[in-house]
Amino acid sequence: NGNLIVNLGYQFSHRREYTHPTEIDIPGLNLQLATYTYDIKYNFNLGNDFETSVGVNGQFQNNNIGGATVFPIPAYHEFDLGPFLVVKKSFGKLDLSAGARYDTRSITQQAAYVDTANVFYPSLYTGPNPTGTPNVYKQFNALNKTFSGATGSFGATYNFSDEFLLKGNVARGFRAPSIAELSANGADPGSQIYHVGNSNFSPEFSVQGDIGAFLTLPNVSASVEVFDNNIQNYIFQEQIVDANGNPERVNPDGSPNPNGIYSKFTYVQSQARIDGGEFYLDIHPFPWLHFANSLTLTYGTNLGNGGHEPDSLKYLPFIPPLHTHSELRGTFVKGFSDFRNVYAFVGFDHYDAQNQFFAAYGTETYTGAYNLLSAGIGGNLVNAAGKTIMKLFIEGTNLANVNYQ
């Protein structure tokens, strides 16, 4: 009556950053992260053609940090578990779907100590007496946290015709804090930032509504989608300032130094709202020729934790400006001689100026508008049987060599 899908995965990431010019074999950063993922799902028909999926998915992570001289995050174990149920049903032109899920994330980390006997090359202390050994200090406290939350969604699609449909959805979301947001306490040599976490964080919850209209004609495809997402306990970074209101600078070990090479950032929580939309238009007068255009716009507002927020705190960080993309592409499936699926394109991207940025404490600054030009050509080389034996292409972005941020 149904089918069972089991998807298991394993990833190992070994990230090393070498930051000591005179000791090129000693990594400044050395993170060894093993991730095991699982996704088990059973699909079946429940009752009168109710398409149903029930399952569970999540991951287990194990991170080690030894063999380095800087330690921005601790060694930790993390286990995620998320059982879910999804049901779909069609009533003529109306398609309905609903889902429910319950997530749990458990994080365990042990206390970690750093030996600074060699001030230029500190190392992770693994001896039996960290509190009684000279030049050893605690980098990370022990931590054992569990976060959980229920989520759900309800959506509907009305098919006015084969060419036009309208769909909407409302959902409650959940996100547990990451290990960096909870426990970071160290320098990241690549970004020149000293990160500080907060172990008292609560999980994020959101309520989002979105609606979209979709049109598909023989020579034109178009869509318009808008969304509004209200988030509780939204986590983001802000720069730390000293007693005089200036950005705090620190040494690699976190000690204050006005001339230090690292800026100090911490994580904070706030109520937030993210809304925006996307417009898409593809004109294809011939099957081989497409003129595709898209526009995306996102607003991120920091609602604070009660009371009026000053202008410098009004917006969320890392919010992209208005972005438009246009691309003219020709694709020739039959190609020429031994080349098939030959294509050529030229693209144009416009990024608007970003005036709505998180200005508090110098965390972010204004960025100007810019335009990028791209182009490319390529195709598949096939053998006598028509089988692809090689793909050849050359593509370029920012062909006008524009400086941008």
Side-chain angles (χ1 to χ4, degrees), residues 237-310:
Q237 275 191 311
E238 69 178 23
Q239 189 160 213
I240 299 176
V241 296
D242 59 22
N244 298 320
N246 299 316
E248 186 172 334
R249 309 289 292 185
V250 297
N251 294 317
D253 63 357
S255 58
N257 181 354
N259 299 315
I261 62 174
Y262 291 95
S263 299
K264 199 170 185 179
F265 279 72
T266 188
Y267 294 90
V268 295
Q269 284 193 308
S270 177
Q271 311 309 306
R273 180 180 182 182
I274 301 177
D275 51 4
E278 179 176 280
F279 169 78
Y280 177 77
L281 174 65
D282 182 7
I283 303 172
H284 38 274
F286 308 103
W288 55 270
L289 182 63
H290 284 258
F291 181 46
N293 304 269
S294 65
L295 182 151
T296 57
L297 181 61
T298 305
Y299 292 101
T301 307
N302 177 20
L303 303 178
N305 294 300
H308 175 72
E309 292 295 327

Side-chain angles (χ1 to χ4, degrees), residues 25-105:
D25 294 328
I26 299 178
L29 186 70
N30 190 7
L31 301 179
Q32 301 171 56
L33 178 64
T35 303
Y36 304 84
T37 57
Y38 63 95
D39 185 4
I40 304 171
K41 179 166 55 179
Y42 182 60
N43 303 310
F44 63 100
N45 279 332
L46 178 66
N48 186 21
D49 290 330
F50 283 87
E51 297 179 36
T52 306
S53 296
V54 60
V56 60
N57 57 32
Q59 68 177 13
F60 172 77
Q61 284 191 329
N62 183 63
N63 183 60
N64 293 313
I65 60 174
T69 60
V70 294
F71 309 95
I73 61 173
Y76 67 91
H77 303 288
E78 176 186 303
F79 180 67
D80 293 348
L81 177 69
F84 62 87
L85 172 69
V86 178
V87 179
K88 300 178 182 179
K89 172 68 174 176
S90 295
F91 300 89
K93 295 184 177 182
L94 179 64
D95 303 323
L96 299 179
S97 64
R101 180 182 175 96
Y102 191 83
D103 280 279
T104 300
R105 167 172 290 181

